[in-house]
Structures are given as C-alpha cells and as structure tokens.
Amino acid sequence: MYGKILAAVNEHINSEVSARYAINLSKVTGSRLFLCHITPHEAAEEVRALSLDAVDRLLRCARSEGVTAEGVTGSGDVVAGIVRLVQREGIGLVFAATRRKDVERRFYAGTVARSLSIGLPCSVALVRVVHMGRGQPREILVPLKERMGRVTEMSYFVAMMARAFDSRVYLFHAAEKKKAVSGIFPRDAGVRPIEQEVELPPMVLNFIEQLEIYKVKHEQRLRAGPAGEGLTMEAAARRYGLIIMGASERSLLSSLIRGNPVEEAMRKTPCNLIVLTARHEH
Amino acid sequence: MSINALSTQEALNSLVSSEDGLGPDEAQRRLRDSGPNEIGLIAGEPLIWKFLRQFTHFLAVLLWVAALLSFVSEYLNPGQGMLQLALAIIAVIFINAVFAFAQEYRAEKAMEEMRKLLPFNVWVLRGGVEKEAAASAIAVGDVVLLKAGDKVPADARLIEAREIRFNNAPLTGESEPVAGTALPFPGELVRSPNIAFAGATVLNGSGKAVVFATGLRTEFGRIARLTGTVQAGETPLQREINRLTHIIAALAMGIGAVFFTIGYFIGVPFWDNFIFGIGVIVALVPEGLLPTVTLSLAMASQRMARKKALMKTLTSVETLGSVTVICTDKTGTLTENRMSVRKTVELALGIKPSLYEIALLCSNVEIIEGRPEGEPTETAIYNEAVRSAAVPGSVRLAEFPFGPEIKRMSTVCSVGGRTYVLSKGAPESIFSICRKCSAADPSTPRPLEEAVPVCNSLMDEGLRVLAFAFRELKPPEEARTRQEAERDMTLAGFMGIEDPPRPGVKEAIGKCGESGVRIVMMTGDSARTAVAVAKQVGLFSGKEGIPVLDDADFRDMSDEALRPVLSGRAVILSRMTPEHKLRVVNILKDSGDRVAMTGDGVNDAPALKRADMGVAMGSGTDVAKEAADMVLIDDNFVSIVDAIEEGKAVYENIRKFISYVFTSNVAEVMPYIFFIVFKLPLALTIIQILAIDLGTDMLPALALGAERPTPEVSRTPPRAEGKRLLDLPVVARVFFFLAMIESASGFSGFFHVLYSSGWKWGEQLAASDPVYIRATTACLAGIAVAQAANVFQCRSFRESVFRIGFFSNWLIFPGVAFEILLLLFIIYTPFGNGVFSTAPLGWDVWLVLAPFALLLFFAEELRKLMARRFFPEKKPSI
C-alpha cells in the first residue's frame, strides 16, 4: 500500500521522533523512505543547519535498519514543496509532527500540520510527540469510531506499526449511552456498566476482521461513556506507548456543537499519538 | 527501543543531547515546544458553574416555575399574598442550593499536594556549564545533576550513577530504597533502575541524568492526571434523590394538569385554578428534603468519626451502605504491621557465617540511642539475630540494595580476613541465586530442593518468610556488580516473620460474609503467606478454594478473564504492586459492583478517587487522604466494616424520614383537590404548607435520621442497585394510608371551625374572613398534630414502636417538642399570625384533632402487626 513514505523533518526534536516511526514502518513494509526538509525563506540559518543535522542522523539510522532512504532538502513554502514532492514521486504516506502550539489552536487552523493533512493527495500521519522515552511502544491503543472511513488502510497501518514494534494492539471503543426519550427516568437503572456496552458497529467489526488477517495480537476494550474523556483515562491508566486513531470525520459545525474527540485526544494525550488521514481505498 | 534499554550514549543520541546537556537556546526552544515542567491543573468545571448548577436541577426548576407563577399572579391579581409566597419560594431555592453546593463542593487538593512533591530548583548542565534553574524550566534533553537530598524534577535516564539510591515511594508506594545504575535495563521502563522518576528523592550518592519526560508526561504526572481526571460518578444516593425529584415533578405536573383541566370544564374561575396549580407544586415538592438529607448525613458522619472513620464527603456516608466489595491491603489494615520473628530455621548448624550473622551483616538497621531503627521487617530480623549472635566485627565493602522487583538485598563484607557475599530476601528471589543448601560438612552439599518443603511449611503458618544465603569470595575474585556478586550462593536458612491479625478483624470479615460483602485482599507477600493469613482472619475456611493471583497473572490476564475471578466471595492478589489498583476498581465497577478501596500512597490516589468509596489510611500520604472519601484514623479494617453498617442504617433512615415528609406532603395536596373538585374554600394556604415543610417537619425528620443501626443491619445484604428510596409498599403506605388519616385530621379541624361558626356547605369565604383564617389554622394544626404521632411510627416500617422502645432514639422527643412549640408559636403569637395568616384556636379544636393523632398511631401499629403476621418473609420492608 505504501510503496513510498515521506517524513517531514525540521529543527524540532518532535519531527525526528516522528521520522523514526516512519523508518520503522518503512522497514516492515519495505517502502522507500524520503526524509524531507524544506527551509522556509524567513528561517534563520541555524534552523536550516539543525534540520540538516537531523536529516543526516535519520538517514544514518534508516540505512542502519536496512531501509532504502534518501534525503530531500529545499527551500521555500513547506506545504507547497512537500505537495510537489508527493506528486512527483507518487508517495503514499507522509509523516508530519505536530507541535504544542499547533494543537492549542482550534482545529489546528493555520498550521503546517493542518495544511498538509488537507492539501496532500496521499495519506497523512500526523504525529503528536509527548513522550521521548518510549521509542518502542509495547502496547498500542487504537480508538475506533462508530463511523470510520478507509477501514482497510487504517487496519493495515495499525497492523504494520504493531509488527514494526512487536506491539500488542488494544482496540478501544467508547459509545455514549443513549438517553431515554423522556429524559426523566434513567433507563439503565440497575443495569451493570458491562451490560450497557453497546453492540459493536459494523465498521468496527470490519476493522477487527481486517486486523485479524495480519495476525496481530489484539484485545478489545469497550466502554460506555464519552469518547474523548474515556480515551484519555484509558491511555493514562494503562501506560500505552502509542495511540493510533483515524482523523476526525465530524464537520466543523458538528465539532463546534458536540466537540471533537480527535482534537481532545491531541491535546490531552499522555503518550505519543498518530492521527491517520487515510486516503487509500485498498 | 525504550530509553531504559539503550546505552547511555544511545539514550543521549535518541534525545539529541550530549553529556554536556543542551545549549541554552536549544533548551529554550524545547521548553517552548513541550511547555513548562509542571503538574498543571486538569481543567474542570469552574466553581461558579458548580454553584449555578444547583439552581438549574429539576427540583429547583420546579420551584422557579412556582415562584414565577406567583409573581405573575401578584402582578395580575394583587393583594393575595402571592408576592410574599414568591419570595419565600426563592428563599427555599437558595437554601437548597447552598446546602447542595456545600455537600458537593470538595476542593481538589490532591493535585496541590502532588505539586508539593516536586522541587522548585534544580542543578542542570547547559552547554557543559553547571547552573541552577527553576524545575519548571527543565526541558527534554536537559542533563540534571542529582545528589543526596535532591528531589528529581522530571523523568530522566541516568547516565552516571555513583552509589545513588532513590526513595520512589511517591510512585510505587514502596519505601525501600532503590539503587540507581546507568547500565541498560531490558525490562519495563517503570521498573528500570536506570530511571530517576519525577517526585523521587535521592537518598544518597550522586549522579547525572538526561531528561526524557516532563510535566504531566512523567510517571508522576500520569498519576496526577489520573487523579485529576477520574471521577467515581454520582453516588447511589445522589442518583436516587435525582430520580425522586423527577418523579415528584412528573407527579406535580400530572396532578396539576389533570385538575386544572377538570377545573376549567366545571367552570372554576381562572384565578382559583391558577392558585391551585401553584399550590399543588408547592405542596408536593418536599422543600425541606435536601437540607434534611444533608444534616442527617452530617450527623451520621459524626457518629462514624467516633468510630475512627472520618468522612470527607457527606453523600459518601450512604454509599458505604451499598458497598458490595472491599479491596483491602493486608499489612497494616488486616494485620497490625507489628513484625516479630516467630520461627528461625538454620539448614546447618555450626557453619560460618551463621544465619544470624548473615542477618546482622546484611541489614541496614541503624542503632539510634541504643535502639534499632528501620523498616519493621528489618528491625524484627535484627532483634531476633542480636539475641542469638554477637555482631561480628566486619567491614562492608559493597551493598546491592533491596529493590521491589528483585526482592532481595546483598552486602559484601570482610569478616575475620575473609570476604563474603551475604544476601537476604524473598525465598523465590534467593533461590534463584543459590546452587545448594548449607551443610555441616561442606564436602557433601545438599541439593537446593531439600529446602523447599521447609520454606513452604513456614509460609503455610502465615509467616512472611525471608531466606538468607552466602558465598565466600576467593581472591582474586571481586564482586563489583550485582551480577558478579549474587551467584552460586549457598542457602543458609529462613526466618518466619509474624504480623498478627488485628483484633476484631475475624469478626468483621465474618460480618462481611454474612451480609454478602466480598473481599479482595491485596498484598506484596507471597501467595502461601497470604493464603495462611487469609485463613487466620477467616477469609476462607480452607475447605473451599480461594482464587490467588500474583502480579504476573494479573498482568497477563485480560479484563474479561479477570472479571469472573474477582467476582468470587474472596480473592487474594499476592505479590501485588499498588499500580494495579485502578484496574481492579475499573473491572469491579464495570461488573456493577460498588467498590471500597484502601490505599495510602501517592500512586493509590487515582484508584481511591475512582472507587465508590476511597478509604485512605490515617498514616498514609496527604495525597491519598485528599483523594479519598474516608480516612481511617486507626488504619483498621474493622473501622471500615463498622462504617458500612452505619452507611446501611443511614439509607434506611433516609427512607424513614422521606416517608415521614411525604405523608404531610400528600395531606397538603388534598385541600387543593377538594378546592377544585368540590368548590370548597381552600383549607390550607400555600404559606401554611411551607410552615409545615420547612418548619414543623424539619426537626422530627432529622431525629429519624439519627436512628441507630439495629443488629439486623449488619446481616443485611448491600442494597441492590435497583432498590428505590420510595418503593411501591412505602408509596402505598404513605399515600393511601397515613396521608389519608392526616388529611382527615386536617379537614376535621377545618370543618369543625367552619360549622361551629355557622358556615353552610357551598358558601365561599373571603381570604381575610376571621372564620376562614381560624379554619385554615385548624387544618394546619390537624396535619401537624398527626405528624407528631407519625414520627414515632416512621421509626420502623415493620416493627412495633413498643418493641423498638420509645426512648431508644431520644432525639425524637426534642423533635416533637420543637414541632409543637413552633406550631403554638405560629398559632398563638401575633408574629406567627401575621406571617402565616393564622389565628388562635380554642380548646375545642384541639379536642377534635387529638383523636386523629391517636388513630394514626394505633392504625399504623395494627398495620405493622398484620404485615408481620401475614407477610413475614415476602414483604420485609413494610
């Protein structure tokens, strides 16, 4: 699926950690890796130097892992440069790191991360790095939504990441309890929380089936309750090394009214998080 | 790989740092990226919102509607006293809100306590230069310098360690020092000795470490985040009262709508209908319920405090009564934490070093003013050894300290010109480094297996067993590392340490068994020792099996696999680390259990908060106490069980006074129904309803809240999730029996005054008519007098007052006295007459009313007798 993978590198250590995920994924998928740095025009020379050092380090690291990798550097508009490269090389997946100031903005508006996830014609893995000590996640948490797009690609990505790190996958599905029509008498009185768990939606079942094709060890964790809060608590309670989740498919209006679990997870995640905007049908 | 598994250089490379640390610019850049190294507040609901929410719940909304209608009525039809009523209703809303807020408000101090465990300043290397920096300015990649007495500011990988030892108690709950090393460790990061964790204290030695996680991303931050995020949810009582108010609202609106419609069709004037609508709402809403519940819970918490259980949240008082499972630590809670060596087994006599000499030389007990000071287990061993052997002259060459994972310590000592490695620890840990047992004749070594039955027999007696081993180092062999020292050792023997069960624990566990409360015992001891102690305290008889899981089992099993195991009558979790407590609580809560969880460490805080009833030990950390709902002053399990009994009694008491309050509420509605249906003058004004609900009823209801638990309560099973405060039998008794007698009492007084004044059926009276005022006063008095009799009968749903004893709850008498005095004040003082539109009554009225009080009393006695006789088993609640 991912014949070519690109990792965007800059002067920040977050991008280096993000690129290491790309190296590991390239290793198991046999993909060709592009480590790309584009220096914005207004950036200081020091920024360029730090970034090129990072590209060098990552290239050495990738080659030592047996990954076919090449460094691509340039200058100008970062997003436009990466878009051109993706189109020219036919890249299937781009890894980009987000920063704290990105996720502090609502919907990451106006950030490079946002522009990449919207503007690129390929899949995008936005990486939020919050913990530098767990380079090899032993346990990966995968929150599953009721409605998911590109289940095939999502399951492939999760499976390959699990394979790359020999990790166990924990599938997490939270669904808010449906309220009684009147709202007066709680319907679930006397019902144990375990009995309140909703049936797994078809797309989640489809995801599990796909995952089993790759023989990935997984466990299901089902919760009744708000997704964002439940996810943050689950991630903190179990010391997961990585969370992988699909990009939000809620509209702007819906996000404003109902909130956005993906955005909430980006802000509150206690471990590293990858948000995958999948764009491959198969 | 995780950072703990990397070499120091690889670790530095992975963080793009160096032994000289970050440059100042890079440190600033990273700090901007990751944010300050702080345990920030988890955003929660602002306090002002919490307060305002008290004005928008269902009961409050209902009262707002009533107040609004009163204002509208006053505007459109002035002079009917509706303005005073509106203001009175708003006052009621405010009183209720303040009480509820005081109940709910709980300062989130646990996070504040946690912040105190982090340092303010720290020494760092920036570009190779040592400098002092604010701990909040530490960034990932910074190299921090650690020395004895320092607090670790962030999670960091040791890159240099010079005999450094940490106290990781804030994270692990273990007070045993952990030796630090800079060597790679292939295991889990959280168990790695090459990690200095934020919040830990450096006990001795020094070192350098490169920071890899800051703020909420540290292990310490993880605990803080969980403590700030997890919520136990609404208590069962909050849920029930919420539900009750919804029912009352539906009832009030339903009755209002039905009779308003009837009134419209039979031609009742609009303003009469309007007054009726407000009256039904005010009559049915128990305005005094929330303050009464709060005060009743406060009284119960006072009683619990006398039993050495301090309640931190009032609603938790009742939660105790519904607890279905208690997860308790063993040491210090079920047992006294008073260690003494009961048995010593030397595998061979007359050898050097003897077991006692090993015990003395492999020990960190300090002698202060002639007395040994240290861990209880260490001190017990030292005391026993010093009784049997003289402390040999020796020089300690090295020490490999105890670690919670490795579960042993070793020393290298020079004794009489010979050098020995001496070890002590958990048997399985010592066995793993031994090759043989000691023998009187060293030329015929005994196999290690011979010692296993000896060890097992000690454990089966409930003793905490420690094994001792030694090895002589032959020159030129050296033991510079743990791996070099701890190998090919000879097992010298065992000591069995006793920690006696606390007095009363066996009986308390027996009570739990009778009432169906399950127990999960958590201990760091071995399974055999835990099982033996469980037998001693009566957790199981030994005939039936008891599930025992150790730390490894617990990690490996999924939640689904653990759920049936934890649902057993009793379960032992042995060799357990406290970090699993939250998982235990989550699994049990998901299964529908209501969980009480004990804890004392910082890392227990999330589980204590998540549990329905977090129980902190009085000797525990401030963080645990702040996160818990209840603090046990004496750390004693017996106090938990006592408190549970009190909690069960509280729920029953709340049911009692709710049935008491509802009796008068229903009686208050009847005049309004008669007013609409039979076009009679209104027998009770709205302000008089408030006089009963917020006046005469209050103290008797509170007295019912002080009923003591009966002996049967301890055997009562935990309240089922679906059990209601007002169930059908109670509703039937209140609505169709007691309230009817009270209504009759009120109407009798009302009609007695009217007829004795020459009133004719169908005649309408002005609100200011003295006859009408006296008549409504008589109705008020009729209901209040009947309530004075009712309070005695509400003390038990089933038992005769004569059997439970008139004076067994003496508070009833001041309650009734207050009720009567207040009634007299309302009726016979100009002030009372002015506020409540009342007038003095003649003795004839009291003569009419008194029989109704007696009727209610004896009719209820008769009903109870019939209930006991005809429904002995099926309907225990009536």
Side-chain angles (χ1 to χ4, degrees), chain A residues 232-239, chain B residues 42 111 114 216 219-231 579 582 586 603 605-607 609-610:
Chain A
T232 312
M233 206 169 94
E234 171 71 18
R238 293 277 301 220
R239 283 202 195 91
Chain B
I42 305 292
M111 296 277 283
M114 282 187 150
L216 284 170
E219 275 300 305
F220 190 71
R222 186 186 72 91
I223 295 170
R225 183 195 293 271
L226 278 171
T227 307
T229 309
V230 297
Q231 297 293 337
E579 64 177 80
L582 182 63
N586 279 334
N603 59 337
K609 247 189 120 186
R610 174 79 176 129

Side-chain angles (χ1 to χ4, degrees), chain B residues 679-734:
Chain B
K679 296 188 178 175
L680 285 174
L682 188 58
L684 195 69
T685 66
I686 296 172
I687 205 83
Q688 286 167 351
I689 291 172
L690 290 178
I692 297 171
D693 289 359
L694 289 170
T696 56
D697 269 2
M698 285 286 276
L699 281 198
L702 262 181
L704 285 173
E707 285 285 328
R708 296 192 177 281
T710 57
E712 292 75 37
V713 164
S714 63
R715 289 192 290 275
T716 314
R719 183 164 52 80
E721 179 74 19
K723 188 173 178 186
R724 300 286 166 232
L725 270 173
L726 273 184
D727 54 16
L728 194 61
V730 174
V731 169
R733 169 175 162 259
V734 167

Side-chain angles (χ1 to χ4, degrees), chain B residues 418-554:
Chain B
R418 294 182 166 192
T419 306
Y420 294 100
V421 179
L422 308 165
S423 300
K424 78 159 189 276
E428 66 272 23
S429 174
I430 295 295
F431 274 61
S432 70
I433 55 171
C434 285
R435 289 189 69 173
K436 59 182 187 289
C437 293
S438 66
D441 178 6
S443 62
T444 55
R446 295 155 62 195
L448 200 56
E449 291 71 30
E450 279 187 20
V452 175
V454 181
C455 177
N456 286 349
S457 71
L458 290 174
M459 287 183 179
D460 290 344
E461 290 179 45
L463 303 177
R464 175 182 285 185
V465 180
L466 288 174
F468 297 82
F470 67 96
R471 179 165 71 91
E472 187 177 352
L473 287 176
K474 303 283 186 192
E477 191 189 0
E478 289 185 40
R480 282 167 301 190
T481 64
R482 187 157 217 151
Q483 287 73 19
E484 284 176 356
E486 295 174 337
R487 62 180 178 81
D488 300 335
M489 300 191 73
T490 302
L491 185 67
F494 307 99
M495 278 190 185
I497 296 163
E498 183 182 48
D499 180 13
R502 284 177 175 272
V505 162
K506 191 168 185 175
E507 292 73 21
I509 285 179
K511 281 183 187 175
C512 290
E514 282 177 24
S515 63
V517 175
R518 288 149 36 221
I519 292 173
V520 176
M521 182 172 104
M522 293 173 295
T523 174
D525 282 342
S526 71
R528 294 185 89 101
T529 305
V531 167
V533 172
K535 272 187 199 170
Q536 285 174 17
V537 298
L539 202 55
F540 80 117
S541 63
K543 288 175 189 163
E544 81 266 39
I546 185 166
V548 183
L549 299 178
D550 65 16
D551 192 75
D553 295 330
F554 199 79

Side-chain angles (χ1 to χ4, degrees), chain A residues 130 192 194 236 239 268, chain B residues 217 219 222 225 590-591:
Chain A
V130 298
R192 300 182 305 159
I194 194 87
R239 283 202 195 91
K268 295 183 179 173
Chain B
R217 293 170 286 273
E219 275 300 305
R222 186 186 72 91
R225 183 195 293 271
D590 282 353
S591 304

Side-chain angles (χ1 to χ4, degrees), chain A residues 74 120 130 164 166 179 199 202 264 272:
Chain A
L120 284 173
V130 298
D166 193 24
K179 292 202 171 102
E199 285 182 10
E264 197 179 333
N272 294 354

